[in-house]
Amino acid sequence: MQRAGAEEAAGSQAAAGGGPGRSGTEVAAAPAGRLLRRELRLLESIFHRGHERFRIGSACPDEISCEFVPGAGARAGASASRGPPPGPVRIHCNITESYPAVPPIWSVESDDPNLAAILERLVEVRKGNTLLLQHLKRIISDLCKLYNLPQHPDVEMLDQPLPAEQSTQEEVSSEEEDEEMPEDTEDLDHYEMKEEEPADGKKTEDEDIGKENLAILEKIKKNQRQDYLNGAVSGSVQATDRLMKELRDIYRSPSFKGGYYAVELVNDSLYDWNVKLLKVDEDSALHNDLQILKEKEGTDFILLNFSFKDNFPFDPPFVRVVSPVLSGGYVLGGGAICMELLTKQGWSSAYSIESVIMQISATLVKGKARVQFGANKNQYSLTRAQQSYKSLVQIHEKNGWYTPPKEDG
């Protein structure tokens, strides 16, 4: 579905005028990066942070964070006459280097299927060079309908001509001579990007990420673009977007940089992670066992596997211990882990993957996990772990979860 949208956009790019009130020839002539920055300026001028209905929180050339504010009088669908008013709807957008040929990727911080449906319907929007503006127009309009609100008049302002680029007369002349002076124009474009990059923008954030991990992020993006072209897109838009955010946050995390854990993508898949717990409580028996394990086998970490499905973050990842074989620590047969937060009943889409990793590490220590030296390593497998997890869920759905006394932690 997403692939079809991307191909349609690429096919119509040369002919599209970009929306009412714009010259198709003028828009098509502008480099995509400059056009996108003009779209962002228009968005921020209309939907500023104090807007009553829709607010752009942050915007840079590859990521936008915004929120829809229903207000006190809003009610959604059948609940229009009952219940408290809904809170703000927080929406995120990722924009690839191939925009507008590849549409923006949207996600929402909610497990409400009505909100997910609004984003899914964006494939119906006519493709063009100002696809970002038209997507937002559709999103805001559909959210107003969902919450039984009148259409906000500012939405129509998204159809107005884009603001002119902020450049000197010499820069304008340089743009007109694109074909004769390509290198000068490229340098100017880089200069403009530096000027307009927000203080809290993506570029500043990336400076906190090591070169090796930045290379991994870039490789993922490259693979995603290639998958679009090859028609081999895997996963879902919402899951891919969230997992990219989670991985970026991890690379920026003090715990990750401090060597408490490490993350590796299995076969470069964003949906399959190997996580190494490198540090556990030094006062625990598990820590001592890992030191002995290092002397015997040369490894002193606990290897976990995180498997994500298309409906992440609304469903939890499947997590299992791969090695070493452990006893205690709430680790079940096959390597499954007995934790309520890893089930649908205990999971929240607001949980970060780093918080899950750190919670698992603490749970292993709290549950007095010990390394089973000499155990058959083949007893841990994906199939056995899934079977144990299924049984675990059935038992707790019937009997509930046990909450230990406070003195037990």
Side-chain angles (χ1 to χ4, degrees), residues 213-226:
N213 297 322
L214 274 176
I216 294 174
L217 293 172
E218 289 303 317
K219 184 177 182 180
I220 294 172
K221 292 179 181 179
K222 182 179 179 180
N223 290 343
Q224 288 174 344
R225 288 193 293 270
Q226 192 60 47

Side-chain angles (χ1 to χ4, degrees), residues 216 220 247 251 263-270 272-274:
I216 294 174
I220 294 172
L247 191 58
Y251 288 156
V263 173
E264 298 175 355
L265 303 186
V266 180
N267 296 323
D268 294 325
S269 171
L270 195 57
D272 194 2
W273 298 14
N274 278 343

Side-chain angles (χ1 to χ4, degrees), residues 276-278 286-303 322-325 371 373 377:
K276 295 178 180 179
L277 299 183
L278 302 174
L286 180 59
H287 173 78
N288 295 332
D289 284 353
L290 290 174
Q291 298 307 305
I292 297 173
L293 186 67
K294 183 176 182 180
E295 295 176 2
K296 290 187 173 184
E297 301 182 14
T299 59
D300 60 348
F301 57 83
I302 297 171
L303 180 61
V322 177
S323 65
V325 176
V371 175
F373 296 102
K377 298 178 182 179

Side-chain angles (χ1 to χ4, degrees), residues 16-294:
R22 302 183 184 89
S23 165
T25 303
E26 179 185 343
V27 171
R34 295 176 187 168
L35 178 68
L36 176 58
R37 291 195 296 276
R38 291 166 67 189
E39 287 188 88
L40 294 176
R41 282 204 298 274
L42 178 61
L43 281 176
E44 291 179 304
S45 68
I46 299 173
F47 299 110
H48 49 81
R49 295 188 180 185
H51 196 276
E52 62 180 352
R53 183 66 69 229
F54 193 80
R55 301 166 182 170
I56 301 294
S58 62
C60 56
D62 54 4
E63 186 174 16
I64 301 173
S65 293
C66 47
E67 68 176 14
F68 179 85
V69 185
R75 294 292 186 275
S79 61
S81 61
R82 65 181 68 180
V89 179
R90 292 180 175 82
I91 303 169
H92 301 281
C93 173
N94 283 87
I95 306 170
T96 71
E97 296 175 1
S98 301
Y99 175 84
V102 175
I105 300 172
W106 297 89
S107 64
V108 59
E109 292 184 12
S110 171
D111 54 4
D112 185 342
N114 293 318
L115 297 177
I118 287 176
L119 300 185
E120 291 171 2
R121 288 198 294 269
L122 291 176
V123 295
E124 303 169 2
V125 176
R126 186 180 73 86
K127 307 305 185 292
N129 289 285
T130 55
L131 190 56
L132 175 63
L133 298 183
Q134 298 310 309
H135 272 194
L136 273 173
K137 181 178 179 181
R138 178 67 174 268
I139 289 172
I140 299 171
S141 298
D142 284 358
L143 285 172
C144 286
K145 292 177 183 176
L146 176 64
Y147 291 107
N148 297 296
L149 296 169
Q151 182 68 269
H152 199 284
D154 287 353
V155 173
E156 298 305 320
M157 295 176 67
L158 293 173
D159 286 333
Q160 67 179 297
L162 293 176
E165 279 208 89
Q166 299 174 350
S167 56
T168 64
Q169 185 60 43
E170 290 181 3
E171 290 168 348
V172 172
S173 299
S174 177
E175 290 172 17
E176 292 174 350
E177 297 171 3
D178 265 345
E179 294 183 1
E180 299 177 11
M181 304 174 63
E183 290 129 353
D184 292 347
T185 303
E186 184 176 352
D187 292 341
L188 172 62
D189 198 26
H190 289 183
Y191 174 72
E192 289 175 346
M193 284 290 289
K194 291 179 182 178
E195 275 193 324
E196 296 176 7
E197 188 74 14
D200 58 346
K202 179 69 69 61
K203 184 170 182 178
T204 301
E205 293 176 346
D206 281 354
E207 290 176 354
D208 294 333
I209 301 177
K211 291 183 179 179
E212 181 180 346
N213 297 322
L214 274 176
I216 294 174
L217 293 172
E218 289 303 317
K219 184 177 182 180
I220 294 172
K221 292 179 181 179
K222 182 179 179 180
N223 290 343
Q224 288 174 344
R225 288 193 293 270
Q226 192 60 47
D227 286 345
Y228 271 114
L229 296 175
N230 295 339
V233 179
S234 60
S236 67
V237 172
Q238 70 180 18
T240 297
D241 179 41
R242 177 63 177 268
L243 287 170
M244 282 293 287
K245 179 182 183 301
E246 293 288 345
L247 191 58
R248 187 180 293 273
D249 288 346
I250 282 174
Y251 288 156
R252 200 179 292 124
S253 160
S255 296
F256 176 81
K257 293 180 178 180
Y260 285 87
Y261 66 93
V263 173
E264 298 175 355
L265 303 186
V266 180
N267 296 323
D268 294 325
S269 171
L270 195 57
Y271 289 76
D272 194 2
W273 298 14
N274 278 343
V275 176
K276 295 178 180 179
L277 299 183
L278 302 174
K279 293 182 181 180
V280 297
D281 186 346
E282 293 183 356
D283 295 328
S284 67
L286 180 59
H287 173 78
N288 295 332
D289 284 353
L290 290 174
Q291 298 307 305
I292 297 173
L293 186 67
K294 183 176 182 180

